[in-house]
Each structure stands twice: as C-alpha cells, then as structure tokens.
Amino acid sequence: MSKKNSKNEVAAVKLLNESTPFAIKESFNQLRTNLMYMPHDGEGCPVYAITSATEGVGKSTVSSNLAVAYAQINKKVLLIDADMRLPVQHENFGYEKNHAGLSELLSGIEKSYKELLVAPLPNLSVLPSGCLPPNPSELITSNRLYELMEKWKREYDIIFIDLPPAGVVSDPITISSLVSGYILVAMTNKSDAKHVNGVAASIEQIGAKIVGLVLNGTNLKGKASKYSYQHKYYYGARRYDK
C-alpha cells in the first residue's frame, strides 16, 4: 500500500482520534452502542449499509468513523468502499485512489481479497472501491458479491458498506438482501427533508430496515431537527464535506 503526501494526511484529521472533540466522539459512541444492541437476522456478523439521499452530506466520513469507533473497542471490522462511481475512503485513510479493490474482485480478478485490503488501524480492514468500472450497477448485484459476503460475515465482527446515495442511483437498494440494516446520512441546511423521507420510504417498501438517521452538521446544543421521518435513532455529528 502506498501512502499519499502530506496534503492527504490533513484529510485524516476527519477521523476519530485523541484530539477529536468530546461531543463528536460521544455521538459516534452512542451510535456504536445502539448498533451493538440492534438485533439482526441471519448467520454471521451484522452488515450495515450507509447511504444518503444526495452527495456531499458526510456519508463516507460517517462510514469511516463508525468503522474506527468499532475498531477502538477491539472489534474486527471490515469497511467496504462500494461507491464505485465516486469513492472517498482513499481520501479518509490515505491510500492511492487507484488501489485495486472491490471492482476487481467482482470482475473476477484472480487474487485473494486479503491481498487487496488496506489496514490503516489495528482491527480495521478497508476494502477499496478499486478502479472505476463502466458497469458498477451490474457488478454490485453479481453473485460474486453474495459469495464474498458469506465469507466475510464469518471472518469479521461487523461489516460496514459505504454505498452511493440511494436518492441518486439504485445500487444501495439492490443489495438489501445482503444487509442487516441501513443508516441514512443527512446534513442540516443542505439535505431536503422530503427527499430524505422519500429515500427512506423506498428502502422500507422493499422490506429493508432503516436502523437510524445520522444528522450531520448539527449544533449538538441546538434545536430539534426539522426532519419529520420518525425512526428509532437520531444522531448528531460534526459537519464534513464528503
């Protein structure tokens, strides 16, 4: 794995670390705790998909920090960058954008997935998105992903999938049978409430579960959110641009 230069090291400041403000740490700790007590169906570890209604609301950084939060309590975590159109995890963790990963695995590359993993922290493995393919929708619905997921669920304590915005492309919804639940990310003063609610309704119409809404960019001491979508959990986190 080749590291990027100091410009990209700055991006890593987005990740939870010793200098992260207490309120932000607690927001992710609360989300982690609630997920730990969330029942899930099927065998193996839980698989949570993180998506949003639109781009630019902090979906990928929320995914990264959830993975980091679990790794910090010695859980074996796999974070999959499944946004094969506009990947961001390489910026968060400092590996090269063209690092081989998910798209190559799904295209039939003759390599073990373990050869493609990035290990930025103890207990945390990141599977990059790989080179941008011409057919991401077809790849993500392939039988190969189902086969790999069955293997990963036996090897990890928890899996997070950073998906494209469900309000923009259909990819997140098409893999609903693989996930234990969805986490929607929205941003104060940027996300449209009707659009977020519409995406939530689309997910639930196919029988999938939404386990929470992360409202990014909130003032943790401010007023209640304008979002009318009623579900079990709401979380506040610092605003991030990606």
Side-chain angles (χ1 to χ4, degrees), residues 118-136:
V118 176
L121 295 170
N123 304 311
L124 174 59
S125 297
V126 180
L127 179 62
S129 65
C131 294
L132 303 186
N135 57 339

PDB file of all heavy atoms in Angstrom, residues 118-136:
ATOM      1  N   VAL A 118      -6.595  -2.796   2.822  1.00  0.00           N
ATOM      2  CA  VAL A 118      -5.763  -1.784   3.450  1.00  0.00           C
ATOM      3  C   VAL A 118      -6.023  -1.883   4.951  1.00  0.00           C
ATOM      4  O   VAL A 118      -7.177  -2.013   5.374  1.00  0.00           O
ATOM      5  CB  VAL A 118      -6.123  -0.371   2.938  1.00  0.00           C
ATOM      6  CG1 VAL A 118      -5.329   0.689   3.669  1.00  0.00           C
ATOM      7  CG2 VAL A 118      -5.898  -0.282   1.432  1.00  0.00           C
ATOM      8  N   ALA A 119      -4.977  -1.832   5.748  1.00  0.00           N
ATOM      9  CA  ALA A 119      -5.127  -1.958   7.208  1.00  0.00           C
ATOM     10  C   ALA A 119      -4.584  -0.696   7.880  1.00  0.00           C
ATOM     11  O   ALA A 119      -3.451  -0.677   8.360  1.00  0.00           O
ATOM     12  CB  ALA A 119      -4.395  -3.188   7.709  1.00  0.00           C
ATOM     13  N   PRO A 120      -5.390   0.371   7.927  1.00  0.00           N
ATOM     14  CA  PRO A 120      -4.901   1.653   8.452  1.00  0.00           C
ATOM     15  C   PRO A 120      -4.785   1.699   9.967  1.00  0.00           C
ATOM     16  O   PRO A 120      -4.033   2.507  10.504  1.00  0.00           O
ATOM     17  CB  PRO A 120      -5.963   2.640   7.969  1.00  0.00           C
ATOM     18  CG  PRO A 120      -7.212   1.830   7.865  1.00  0.00           C
ATOM     19  CD  PRO A 120      -6.768   0.461   7.431  1.00  0.00           C
ATOM     20  N   LEU A 121      -5.528   0.838  10.673  1.00  0.00           N
ATOM     21  CA  LEU A 121      -5.544   0.829  12.130  1.00  0.00           C
ATOM     22  C   LEU A 121      -5.655  -0.602  12.623  1.00  0.00           C
ATOM     23  O   LEU A 121      -6.149  -1.471  11.901  1.00  0.00           O
ATOM     24  CB  LEU A 121      -6.745   1.634  12.656  1.00  0.00           C
ATOM     25  CG  LEU A 121      -6.796   3.129  12.385  1.00  0.00           C
ATOM     26  CD1 LEU A 121      -8.174   3.667  12.770  1.00  0.00           C
ATOM     27  CD2 LEU A 121      -5.706   3.860  13.132  1.00  0.00           C
ATOM     28  N   PRO A 122      -5.238  -0.881  13.849  1.00  0.00           N
ATOM     29  CA  PRO A 122      -5.455  -2.215  14.406  1.00  0.00           C
ATOM     30  C   PRO A 122      -6.944  -2.571  14.400  1.00  0.00           C
ATOM     31  O   PRO A 122      -7.791  -1.716  14.685  1.00  0.00           O
ATOM     32  CB  PRO A 122      -4.931  -2.081  15.842  1.00  0.00           C
ATOM     33  CG  PRO A 122      -3.938  -0.971  15.784  1.00  0.00           C
ATOM     34  CD  PRO A 122      -4.481  -0.006  14.784  1.00  0.00           C
ATOM     35  N   ASN A 123      -7.261  -3.783  14.034  1.00  0.00           N
ATOM     36  CA  ASN A 123      -8.630  -4.328  13.997  1.00  0.00           C
ATOM     37  C   ASN A 123      -9.469  -3.828  12.821  1.00  0.00           C
ATOM     38  O   ASN A 123     -10.608  -4.265  12.662  1.00  0.00           O
ATOM     39  CB  ASN A 123      -9.395  -4.022  15.292  1.00  0.00           C
ATOM     40  CG  ASN A 123      -8.682  -4.513  16.519  1.00  0.00           C
ATOM     41  OD1 ASN A 123      -8.257  -5.664  16.568  1.00  0.00           O
ATOM     42  ND2 ASN A 123      -8.537  -3.659  17.521  1.00  0.00           N
ATOM     43  N   LEU A 124      -8.945  -2.914  12.005  1.00  0.00           N
ATOM     44  CA  LEU A 124      -9.734  -2.344  10.910  1.00  0.00           C
ATOM     45  C   LEU A 124      -9.124  -2.698   9.559  1.00  0.00           C
ATOM     46  O   LEU A 124      -7.942  -2.429   9.309  1.00  0.00           O
ATOM     47  CB  LEU A 124      -9.822  -0.824  11.044  1.00  0.00           C
ATOM     48  CG  LEU A 124     -10.495  -0.076   9.874  1.00  0.00           C
ATOM     49  CD1 LEU A 124     -11.933  -0.551   9.662  1.00  0.00           C
ATOM     50  CD2 LEU A 124     -10.450   1.432  10.125  1.00  0.00           C
ATOM     51  N   SER A 125      -9.939  -3.307   8.694  1.00  0.00           N
ATOM     52  CA  SER A 125      -9.548  -3.573   7.310  1.00  0.00           C
ATOM     53  C   SER A 125     -10.475  -2.790   6.392  1.00  0.00           C
ATOM     54  O   SER A 125     -11.689  -2.768   6.596  1.00  0.00           O
ATOM     55  CB  SER A 125      -9.661  -5.071   6.990  1.00  0.00           C
ATOM     56  OG  SER A 125      -8.772  -5.830   7.792  1.00  0.00           O
ATOM     57  N   VAL A 126      -9.886  -2.160   5.388  1.00  0.00           N
ATOM     58  CA  VAL A 126     -10.667  -1.401   4.409  1.00  0.00           C
ATOM     59  C   VAL A 126     -10.479  -2.045   3.046  1.00  0.00           C
ATOM     60  O   VAL A 126      -9.348  -2.289   2.616  1.00  0.00           O
ATOM     61  CB  VAL A 126     -10.213   0.075   4.344  1.00  0.00           C
ATOM     62  CG1 VAL A 126     -11.041   0.843   3.304  1.00  0.00           C
ATOM     63  CG2 VAL A 126     -10.331   0.735   5.709  1.00  0.00           C
ATOM     64  N   LEU A 127     -11.596  -2.353   2.382  1.00  0.00           N
ATOM     65  CA  LEU A 127     -11.541  -2.859   1.015  1.00  0.00           C
ATOM     66  C   LEU A 127     -11.821  -1.677   0.087  1.00  0.00           C
ATOM     67  O   LEU A 127     -12.937  -1.163   0.060  1.00  0.00           O
ATOM     68  CB  LEU A 127     -12.571  -3.959   0.780  1.00  0.00           C
ATOM     69  CG  LEU A 127     -12.606  -4.533  -0.642  1.00  0.00           C
ATOM     70  CD1 LEU A 127     -11.279  -5.199  -0.996  1.00  0.00           C
ATOM     71  CD2 LEU A 127     -13.750  -5.520  -0.797  1.00  0.00           C
ATOM     72  N   PRO A 128     -10.808  -1.199  -0.653  1.00  0.00           N
ATOM     73  CA  PRO A 128     -11.018  -0.061  -1.549  1.00  0.00           C
ATOM     74  C   PRO A 128     -12.051  -0.360  -2.628  1.00  0.00           C
ATOM     75  O   PRO A 128     -12.378  -1.526  -2.898  1.00  0.00           O
ATOM     76  CB  PRO A 128      -9.630   0.153  -2.167  1.00  0.00           C
ATOM     77  CG  PRO A 128      -8.677  -0.470  -1.190  1.00  0.00           C
ATOM     78  CD  PRO A 128      -9.420  -1.655  -0.635  1.00  0.00           C
ATOM     79  N   SER A 129     -12.527   0.697  -3.257  1.00  0.00           N
ATOM     80  CA  SER A 129     -13.518   0.521  -4.321  1.00  0.00           C
ATOM     81  C   SER A 129     -12.904  -0.075  -5.566  1.00  0.00           C
ATOM     82  O   SER A 129     -13.577  -0.718  -6.363  1.00  0.00           O
ATOM     83  CB  SER A 129     -14.151   1.866  -4.681  1.00  0.00           C
ATOM     84  OG  SER A 129     -13.181   2.736  -5.244  1.00  0.00           O
ATOM     85  N   GLY A 130     -11.597   0.125  -5.751  1.00  0.00           N
ATOM     86  CA  GLY A 130     -10.935  -0.338  -6.956  1.00  0.00           C
ATOM     87  C   GLY A 130     -11.056   0.687  -8.076  1.00  0.00           C
ATOM     88  O   GLY A 130     -11.589   1.775  -7.888  1.00  0.00           O
ATOM     89  N   CYS A 131     -10.565   0.317  -9.238  1.00  0.00           N
ATOM     90  CA  CYS A 131     -10.667   1.215 -10.396  1.00  0.00           C
ATOM     91  C   CYS A 131     -12.133   1.394 -10.773  1.00  0.00           C
ATOM     92  O   CYS A 131     -12.931   0.461 -10.651  1.00  0.00           O
ATOM     93  CB  CYS A 131      -9.890   0.645 -11.573  1.00  0.00           C
ATOM     94  SG  CYS A 131      -8.099   0.583 -11.280  1.00  0.00           S
ATOM     95  N   LEU A 132     -12.487   2.581 -11.241  1.00  0.00           N
ATOM     96  CA  LEU A 132     -13.875   2.868 -11.567  1.00  0.00           C
ATOM     97  C   LEU A 132     -14.313   2.045 -12.777  1.00  0.00           C
ATOM     98  O   LEU A 132     -13.766   2.189 -13.868  1.00  0.00           O
ATOM     99  CB  LEU A 132     -14.058   4.361 -11.857  1.00  0.00           C
ATOM    100  CG  LEU A 132     -13.628   5.319 -10.745  1.00  0.00           C
ATOM    101  CD1 LEU A 132     -14.002   6.756 -11.109  1.00  0.00           C
ATOM    102  CD2 LEU A 132     -14.247   4.941  -9.401  1.00  0.00           C
ATOM    103  N   PRO A 133     -15.318   1.167 -12.599  1.00  0.00           N
ATOM    104  CA  PRO A 133     -15.753   0.301 -13.691  1.00  0.00           C
ATOM    105  C   PRO A 133     -16.828   0.992 -14.547  1.00  0.00           C
ATOM    106  O   PRO A 133     -17.482   1.929 -14.092  1.00  0.00           O
ATOM    107  CB  PRO A 133     -16.351  -0.898 -12.959  1.00  0.00           C
ATOM    108  CG  PRO A 133     -16.946  -0.283 -11.720  1.00  0.00           C
ATOM    109  CD  PRO A 133     -16.029   0.850 -11.338  1.00  0.00           C
ATOM    110  N   PRO A 134     -17.042   0.508 -15.759  1.00  0.00           N
ATOM    111  CA  PRO A 134     -18.105   1.078 -16.597  1.00  0.00           C
ATOM    112  C   PRO A 134     -19.494   0.590 -16.209  1.00  0.00           C
ATOM    113  O   PRO A 134     -20.494   1.145 -16.639  1.00  0.00           O
ATOM    114  CB  PRO A 134     -17.732   0.599 -18.004  1.00  0.00           C
ATOM    115  CG  PRO A 134     -17.005  -0.686 -17.769  1.00  0.00           C
ATOM    116  CD  PRO A 134     -16.248  -0.506 -16.491  1.00  0.00           C
ATOM    117  N   ASN A 135     -19.553  -0.469 -15.384  1.00  0.00           N
ATOM    118  CA  ASN A 135     -20.839  -1.095 -15.064  1.00  0.00           C
ATOM    119  C   ASN A 135     -21.003  -1.341 -13.567  1.00  0.00           C
ATOM    120  O   ASN A 135     -21.217  -2.493 -13.140  1.00  0.00           O
ATOM    121  CB  ASN A 135     -20.973  -2.415 -15.816  1.00  0.00           C
ATOM    122  CG  ASN A 135     -19.819  -3.369 -15.491  1.00  0.00           C
ATOM    123  OD1 ASN A 135     -18.757  -2.961 -15.043  1.00  0.00           O
ATOM    124  ND2 ASN A 135     -20.053  -4.658 -15.697  1.00  0.00           N
ATOM    125  N   PRO A 136     -20.923  -0.327 -12.719  1.00  0.00           N
ATOM    126  CA  PRO A 136     -20.990  -0.558 -11.268  1.00  0.00           C
ATOM    127  C   PRO A 136     -22.286  -1.207 -10.803  1.00  0.00           C
ATOM    128  O   PRO A 136     -22.275  -2.040  -9.890  1.00  0.00           O
ATOM    129  CB  PRO A 136     -20.820   0.848 -10.672  1.00  0.00           C
ATOM    130  CG  PRO A 136     -21.172   1.783 -11.782  1.00  0.00           C
ATOM    131  CD  PRO A 136     -20.753   1.094 -13.035  1.00  0.00           C
TER     132      PRO A 136
END
